[in-house]
């Protein structure tokens, strides 16, 4: 079937020559397009230029505000450590007060330590005690450490090495701080405040002071840090933007802290009212935290320093900001207009050139019709194309029949392709069924069922199903292990609770044993008192013997023999007295040991307080386990202390037995002396000189008895000191029991958390049997509760648990 030639399609084999260039026509489509586009574009460029100018102006203003914000953040970052240092001093003072430390040197050393760790801007650190709130023996106390200014009139004393360059001053003695603003302001405001700037040895200074309250909301002290404002001002940048403008820093009440146009005003801490520009806008900047104001041809941005409420201002001449913006806007508008005009002109010309071949073909189609040729000359390019289009419709009608015949021939080919598409659709439906099955398996896994399994086929989805099955299997194994681990944690918590109960029982039993020791000490005291009474009776008996000897009469031979026997008895009494002297020395040593034990008990109590504070701050169960091990270390120290006390008491019991033996021997010797004196009575009348010697010897024995009485009194005092130490140990045992109860409560919370984890895991249906942990499992075996007796715990080392070693170090308070 032949096709008729069509003039609407150019022949690709024939080259088309460019038609001759036509003259400029007002009714040309290019001319109309250029005029319309340029009119709209110029209107749009005017609006865009205005918006662009406004945008650039806003960006310039934001640039000023960003520069101001950067400076404010810089100041905030420099003074933030100051408030943190003051808070740290408060915490340290509270800790010392809670530990009942009354040593003045300890508080001074603490403040000196924070001075050495002060921020860069800080010049001094101090705390000011409220009346008798920290050290009860002193009404006012204010240790103050500051940097030596090398001024002859500065207060305080210079510290020796290694603290060279540091001056110490008691602000109550040197400055009467209860009447000063740095004490009265925070007390009255009941919050931390920054003082107004002041001149201090030629430096502009300010102070951060904060009140400190105890648990009853009672004022205990005011802590403070002095800050060097002059050094802070030097760190402020010299210009705002484009090497123009300056920054000004003003306090909350309007005192100049930094003013570059006239630094002397800031050096004299003058008010903002001395600066007319600040005075004019001061009422406006008080209403907000930040903003931007235009004053006298200057852009003035202001922003508050958050932690101090200081006001920082950035002042920039408006011409510096706006003239570059205006120049950029005008230049950009002119360049954009010129470029747009050139582009539109070139586009119109290009359109005319592209339309020329089409118009030439239109002329060929209408060449045989003079009327059509006249209409074409009167129309523009689009009109000419419209007339040519209607001429082509006739040609298209003729070609339609040819196209219909070709369509019928291709219909059969399309039906064959449709059959192939039907077969492909069936294959796709089978694939969708398998994908739906996989999605059902995924949905079951979302519901917690890990026992499902996807069917594996030989299609492309088979690999996906096999991978999903392996993933479900691995997830089930992982959850099974998590479930087993949660059960181990639950049983470990139960074992820890049982261990805490046993520790509590041991502590209670230890308190009972200390009470028994205290009772036995009282018995020793009573025995010593009884011995003192018996020695007194013995002295009275010796006096009676003396009177009997003076009245008796004996022979000289019998008296000489009696004197020899009496001399031997006197020697034995002297020996017994030496034994008593040695015992007194041992008793003094025992008193020193008890004093050392009391000191160790105080250190242990302080450690327990610090550990309890750390335990109160913990929220993580792992960290609580570390705290529990620290409690175990403290319990071990308490056990060692109790063992030392028991050893001391055993030594006291042995020494008391020695006292009884010596007293019994003295009684025996005194009784023997009584018998001898009765036998010597017959010979007293024969020799007054011999009886005078006997009288002298009896007086010596009486004095020895008085020495024995004095030793017994010392023993009574030692027994009283021992009883007082035992009462302190009993109080320590009670506090240990209280800490153990806290440990028991925390273990119950751990057990509740592990049970909650088990309940969460039970949402999943796991394949097979979930393993459980029996009483003989590894998690429960490393704490052997069966080996617990009255005083010890058998804790086996867990090989799979890394238990950090906890060492409790008693605090050491340095003294300057």
């Amino acid at each position: 079937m032949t096709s008729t030639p069509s003039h609407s399609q150019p022949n690709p084999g024939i080259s088309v020559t460019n038609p001759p260039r036509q003259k400029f026509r007002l009714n040309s489509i290019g001319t109309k397009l250029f005029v319309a586009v340029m009119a709209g574009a110029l209107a749009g460029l005017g609006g865009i230029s205005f918006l662009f100018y406004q945008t650039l102006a806003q960006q310039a203003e934001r640039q000023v505000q960003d520069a101001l914000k950067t400076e404010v953040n810089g100041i905030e970052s420099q003074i933030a450590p100051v408030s943190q240092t003051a808070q740290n001093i408060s915490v340290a003072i509270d800790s010392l007060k809670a530990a009942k430390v009354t040593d003045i040197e300890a508080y001074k050393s603490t403040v000196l330590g924070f001075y050495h760790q002060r921020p860069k801007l800080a010049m001094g650190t101090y705390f000011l005690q409220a009346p008798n709130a920290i050290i009860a023996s002193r009404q006012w106390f204010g240790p103050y450490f500051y940097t030596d200014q090398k001024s002859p009139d500065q207060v305080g004393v210079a510290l020796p090495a290694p603290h060279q360059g540091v001056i110490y001053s008691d602000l109550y003695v040197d400055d009467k701080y209860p009447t000063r603003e740095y004490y009265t302001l925070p007390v009255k405001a009941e919050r931390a405040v920054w003082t107004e700037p002041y001149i201090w040895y030629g430096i502009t200074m300010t102070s951060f002071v904060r009140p400190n309250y105890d648990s009853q909301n009672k004022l205990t002290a005011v802590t403070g840090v002095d800050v060097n404002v002059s050094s802070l001002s030097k760190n402020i940048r010299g210009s705002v933007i484009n090497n123009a403008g300056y920054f000004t820093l003003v306090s909350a009440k309007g005192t100049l802290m930094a003013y570059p146009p006239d630094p002397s005003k800031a050096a004299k801490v003058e008010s903002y009212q001395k600066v007319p520009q600040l005075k004019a806008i001061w009422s406006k900047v008080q209403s907000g935290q930040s903003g931007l104001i235009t004053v006298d041809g200057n852009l003035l941005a202001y922003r508050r320093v958050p932690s101090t409420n200081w006001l920082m201002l950035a002042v920039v001449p408006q011409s510096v900001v706006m003239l570059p913006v205006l120049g950029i806007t005008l230049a950009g508008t002119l360049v954009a207009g010129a470029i747009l005009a050139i582009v539109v002109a070139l586009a119109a010309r290009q359109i005319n050139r592209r339309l020329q071949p089409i118009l030439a073909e239109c002329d060929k189609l209408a060449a045989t019709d003079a009327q059509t040729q006249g209409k074409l000359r009167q129309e523009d390019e689009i009109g000419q194309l419209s007339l040519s289009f209607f001429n082509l419709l006739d040609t298209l009608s003729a070609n339609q029949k040819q196209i219909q015949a070709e369509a019928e021939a291709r219909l059969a080919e399309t039906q064959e392709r449709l059959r192939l598409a039907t077969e492909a659709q069936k294959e796709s439906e089978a694939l969708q069924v398998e994908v739906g099955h996989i999605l059902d398996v995924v949905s079951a896994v979302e519901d917690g069922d890990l026992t499902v399994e996807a069917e594996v086929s030989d299609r492309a989805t088979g690999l996906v199903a096999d991978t999903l099955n392996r993933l479900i299997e691995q997830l089930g194994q992982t959850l099974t292990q998590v479930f087993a681990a949660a059960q181990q944690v639950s049983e470990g918590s139960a074992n820890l609770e049982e261990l805490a109960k046993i520790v509590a029982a041991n502590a209670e039993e230890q308190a009972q044993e200390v009470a028994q020791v205290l009772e036995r000490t009282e018995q020793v005291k009573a025995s010593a008192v009884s011995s003192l009474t018996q020695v007194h009776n013995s002295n009275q008996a010796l006096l009676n013997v003396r009177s009997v000897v003076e009245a008796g009469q004996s022979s000289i031979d019998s008296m000489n023999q009696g004197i020899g026997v009496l001399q031997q008895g006197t020697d034995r009494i002297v020996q017994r007295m030496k034994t008593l002297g040695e015992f007194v020395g041992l008793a003094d040593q025992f008193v020193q040991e008890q004093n050392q034990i009391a000191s160790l008990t105080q250190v242990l109590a302080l450690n327990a307080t610090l550990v309890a504070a750390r335990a109160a701050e913990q929220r993580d169960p792992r960290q609580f386990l570390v705290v529990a091990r620290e409690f175990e270390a403290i319990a071990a120290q308490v056990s060692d202390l109790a063992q030392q006390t028991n050893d001391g008491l055993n030594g006291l019991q042995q020494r008391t037995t020695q006292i009884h033996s010596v007293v019994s021997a003295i009684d025996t010797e005194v009784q023997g002396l009584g018998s001898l004196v009765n036998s010597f009575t017959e010979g007293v009348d024969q020799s007054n000189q011999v009886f005078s010697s006997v009288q002298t010897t009896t007086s010596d024995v009486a004095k020895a008895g008085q020495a024995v009485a004095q030793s017994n009194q010392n023993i009574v005092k030692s027994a009283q000191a021992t009883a007082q130490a035992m009462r302190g140990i009993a109080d320590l045992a009670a506090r240990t029991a209280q800490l153990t109860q806290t440990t028991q409560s925390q273990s119950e919370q751990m057990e509740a958390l592990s049970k909650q984890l088990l309940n969460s895991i039970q949402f999943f249906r796991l394949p097979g049997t979930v393993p459980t942990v029996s009483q003989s499992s590894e998690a429960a075996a490393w704490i052997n509760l069966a080996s617990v007796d009255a005083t010890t715990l058998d804790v086996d080392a867990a090989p799979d648990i890394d238990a950090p070693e906890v060492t409790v170090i008693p605090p050491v308070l340095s003294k300057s």
Side-chain angles (χ1 to χ4, degrees):
M1 182 173 57
T2 61
S3 60
T4 60
S6 176
H7 295 283
S8 60
Q9 298 178 355
N11 190 351
I14 301 174
S15 61
V16 179
T17 59
N18 292 330
R21 180 177 299 177
Q22 296 183 357
K23 296 181 179 180
F24 178 76
R25 295 170 53 195
L26 294 178
N27 64 343
S28 171
I29 187 65
T31 303
K32 294 179 179 179
L33 180 62
F34 178 81
V35 173
V37 171
M38 286 303 298
L42 290 176
L45 278 176
I48 292 174
S49 298
F50 178 76
L51 295 176
F52 184 63
Y53 173 78
Q54 294 294 330
T55 302
L56 290 179
Q58 292 175 0
Q59 288 180 354
E61 292 174 355
R62 281 197 298 270
Q63 185 179 0
V64 174
Q65 291 178 335
D66 290 342
L68 176 61
K69 183 178 180 181
T70 301
E71 289 299 315
V72 169
N73 292 337
I75 292 177
E76 183 70 18
S77 65
Q78 293 181 68
I79 64 177
V82 173
S83 59
Q84 184 63 41
T85 300
Q87 183 177 0
N88 292 340
I89 296 175
S90 298
V91 173
I93 297 302
D94 288 341
S95 300
L96 292 177
K97 185 177 183 297
K100 298 181 179 180
V101 176
T102 59
D103 185 9
I104 293 178
E105 295 299 327
Y107 290 93
K108 291 169 61 177
S109 298
T110 300
V111 178
L112 178 59
F114 282 106
Y115 169 81
H116 287 301
Q117 299 175 3
R118 70 190 187 281
K120 183 178 180 181
L121 294 177
M123 298 290 290
T125 58
Y126 54 90
F127 88 90
L128 312 173
Q129 173 184 264
N132 304 106
I134 302 296
I135 302 175
S137 61
R138 297 186 62 172
Q139 182 181 11
W140 303 103
F141 177 55
Y144 175 45
F145 294 92
Y146 65 94
T147 304
D148 188 359
Q149 299 302 310
K150 308 300 182 182
S151 176
D153 58 344
Q154 63 185 6
V155 297
V157 295
L159 297 184
H163 307 294
Q164 298 91 337
V166 182
I167 302 297
Y168 166 73
S169 171
D170 188 337
L171 291 179
Y172 177 70
V173 177
D174 297 330
D175 202 30
K176 302 298 180 184
Y177 69 82
T179 62
R180 300 299 183 182
E181 286 189 352
Y182 57 80
Y183 179 80
T184 59
L185 282 179
V187 173
K188 183 178 180 180
E190 297 183 352
R191 61 180 177 82
V193 296
W194 286 86
T195 64
E196 283 297 299
Y198 55 90
I199 302 300
W200 185 74
Y201 299 117
I203 302 174
T204 303
M205 298 284 291
T206 184
S207 299
F208 176 79
V209 285
R210 66 187 304 273
N212 196 27
Y213 298 92
D214 58 13
S215 58
Q216 285 80 28
N217 200 25
K218 181 180 177 182
L219 179 68
T220 59
V222 172
T223 59
V225 179
D226 291 341
V227 177
N228 188 343
V229 176
S230 299
S231 179
L232 179 65
S233 302
K234 293 178 182 179
N235 296 331
I236 298 176
R237 194 167 56 183
S239 61
V240 181
I241 58 172
N242 300 329
N243 294 324
Y246 59 89
F247 292 99
T248 299
L249 184 62
V250 186
S251 69
K253 294 184 178 180
T255 303
L256 294 176
M257 302 172 69
Y259 187 61
D262 189 358
S264 62
K265 295 182 180 294
K268 297 176 182 178
V269 291
E270 295 183 355
S271 174
Y272 71 94
Q273 296 180 353
K274 297 296 183 64
V275 181
Q277 191 176 30
L278 294 180
K279 184 178 180 181
I281 56 95
W282 184 256
S283 59
K284 298 179 182 179
V285 300
Q286 295 299 313
S287 59
Q289 294 295 319
S290 62
L292 186 68
I293 302 174
T294 301
V295 179
D296 297 334
N298 292 324
L299 281 178
L300 192 147
Y302 65 92
R303 178 178 289 273
R304 295 281 181 182
V305 180
S307 62
T308 62
N309 205 31
W310 296 341
L311 183 67
M312 192 168 193
L313 303 98
V315 181
V316 182
Q318 196 171 10
S319 59
V320 174
V321 178
M322 296 305 175
L323 287 180
V325 172
L326 183 60
I328 292 173
T329 303
L330 293 177
T333 303
L334 294 176
V335 171
I339 293 175
L340 182 61
I342 295 173
V343 170
V344 172
L346 292 176
R349 181 180 179 184
Q350 187 68 18
I351 290 174
N352 288 333
R353 294 183 62 184
R354 293 289 183 89
L355 290 176
Q356 288 303 321
I358 300 175
L359 293 176
E361 293 295 329
C362 291
D363 291 341
K364 292 179 181 179
L365 291 174
T368 56
D369 190 350
Q371 184 178 1
T372 303
Q373 289 288 342
K375 292 181 178 180
L376 288 175
R377 294 187 185 94
Q378 296 176 359
E379 299 290 337
D380 57 10
E381 287 84 351
I382 302 299
Q384 294 175 6
L385 289 175
S386 176
L387 292 175
S388 300
F389 174 75
F390 288 108
N391 291 332
L392 291 175
L393 288 179
D394 296 335
T395 304
L396 292 175
S397 178
N399 293 334
Q400 183 178 4
K401 295 180 180 180
Q402 180 182 359
I403 293 172
Q404 183 175 4
E406 292 179 355
E408 291 177 354
R410 294 181 180 180
L411 178 60
E413 183 180 357
T414 302
Q415 290 177 349
E416 179 65 21
R417 293 179 179 177
L418 181 61
R419 183 182 63 79
L420 297 176
T422 302
E423 294 179 355
Q425 183 178 5
K426 292 180 180 180
E427 181 68 20
S428 176
E429 290 176 353
L431 185 61
Q432 289 179 356
V433 171
E434 293 183 358
V435 172
H437 173 66
I438 293 175
L439 293 177
D440 292 339
V441 172
V442 173
S443 178
V445 172
E446 289 180 353
D447 294 336
D449 187 4
L450 300 181
T451 60
V452 298
E453 184 177 358
E455 295 181 0
V456 180
S457 64
D458 55 353
R459 293 186 177 89
T461 58
L463 179 60
V464 176
D466 185 49
T467 303
L468 180 61
N469 290 337
R470 291 198 301 270
L471 178 61
I472 294 173
E473 181 181 358
Q474 292 294 330
L475 181 60
Q477 293 177 0
T478 302
L479 289 178
T480 301
Q481 294 175 0
V482 171
F483 185 78
Q487 285 185 335
Q488 291 179 1
V489 171
S490 178
E491 294 196 3
S493 299
N495 292 334
L496 180 60
E497 181 180 358
E498 185 66 23
L499 180 62
K501 291 179 180 179
I502 293 174
V503 171
N506 288 340
E508 183 177 0
E509 184 176 354
Q510 182 182 4
Q512 294 175 358
E513 292 178 355
V514 170
Q516 293 177 3
V517 171
L518 185 61
E519 182 179 358
R520 292 172 184 173
T521 304
E522 295 293 340
Q523 292 177 359
V524 170
K525 177 181 177 183
S527 299
V529 172
S530 177
S531 175
L532 180 62
T533 303
Q534 292 177 4
V535 170
H536 180 71
N537 293 334
S538 297
N539 290 335
Q540 187 64 36
L542 288 175
L543 293 176
N544 293 334
V545 170
R546 179 181 178 182
S547 62
V548 171
V549 170
E550 290 176 352
Q553 295 179 355
S554 302
S555 62
I556 295 176
D557 294 335
S558 298
M559 187 172 58
N560 290 333
Q561 184 179 1
I563 289 173
V565 174
L566 183 60
Q567 185 66 35
Q568 294 178 359
T570 303
D571 293 337
R572 286 194 293 271
I573 291 174
V574 172
Q575 186 66 31
R576 300 299 182 184
M577 293 304 100
K578 291 182 179 179
T579 303
L580 286 176
E582 294 176 355
F583 171 73
V584 170
L586 294 175
D588 292 337
Q589 182 179 359
F590 175 73
V591 170
Q592 293 177 358
E593 293 176 354
Q594 293 302 317
N595 290 333
Q596 293 178 357
I597 291 174
S599 178
L600 290 176
T601 304
Q602 291 179 353
V603 174
L604 181 59
L606 181 58
N607 286 337
T609 302
L610 296 176
V611 173
R614 288 180 55 193
E617 297 175 355
Q618 303 303 322
R619 298 292 184 271
D620 190 356
R622 297 178 181 175
Q623 296 179 354
F624 175 75
L625 179 60
V626 175
V627 176
R629 289 173 180 166
E630 292 182 359
F631 277 122
E632 291 177 1
I634 293 175
Q637 291 184 3
V638 173
S639 178
D640 295 339
L641 183 59
Q643 184 64 35
Q644 293 178 7
T645 304
N646 289 333
D647 295 340
L649 292 176
N650 291 332
L652 178 62
Q653 185 175 3
Q654 294 175 2
R655 294 159 188 169
T656 305
T657 303
Q658 292 179 4
I659 291 173
H660 284 294
S661 299
V662 172
V663 172
S664 298
I666 291 174
D667 289 338
T668 303
E669 295 295 335
V670 171
Q671 291 176 2
L673 288 175
S675 299
L676 290 174
V677 170
N678 289 330
S679 63
F680 294 159
T681 303
E682 297 177 356
V684 172
D685 294 336
Q686 296 180 6
S687 179
N688 291 330
Q689 184 179 0
V690 173
F691 282 115
S692 297
S693 300
V694 172
Q695 183 179 1
T696 303
T697 304
T698 305
S699 298
D700 295 336
V701 173
K703 293 179 180 179
Q706 291 177 356
V708 172
Q710 183 66 29
S711 299
N712 286 331
Q713 289 179 355
N714 293 333
I715 292 172
V716 171
K717 293 180 181 178
S718 299
Q720 290 176 349
T722 303
Q724 182 66 25
M726 291 302 102
R727 293 189 184 94
I729 295 174
D731 293 339
L732 179 60
R735 289 196 295 270
T736 303
Q738 184 178 1
L739 293 175
T740 306
Q741 291 177 358
T742 303
T743 303
Q744 182 178 356
S745 174
Q746 295 293 336
S747 63
E748 291 176 355
Q749 294 179 3
M750 290 175 60
E751 184 177 3
L753 290 175
S754 61
K755 289 181 179 179
Q756 183 179 359
L757 178 59
L758 290 174
N759 292 333
S760 299
I761 295 177
Q762 288 176 358
F763 168 77
F764 297 96
R765 292 175 56 193
L766 303 177
T769 303
V770 178
T772 60
V773 182
S774 63
Q775 295 297 330
S776 60
S777 64
E778 182 179 359
W782 67 280
I783 299 178
N784 188 4
L785 297 178
S787 62
V788 177
D789 57 13
T791 59
T792 62
L793 291 175
D794 184 11
V795 181
D796 297 333
D800 297 332
I801 299 176
D802 295 332
E805 181 179 358
V806 178
T807 302
V808 179
I809 302 175
V812 179
L813 301 177
S814 62
K815 296 183 179 180
S816 61

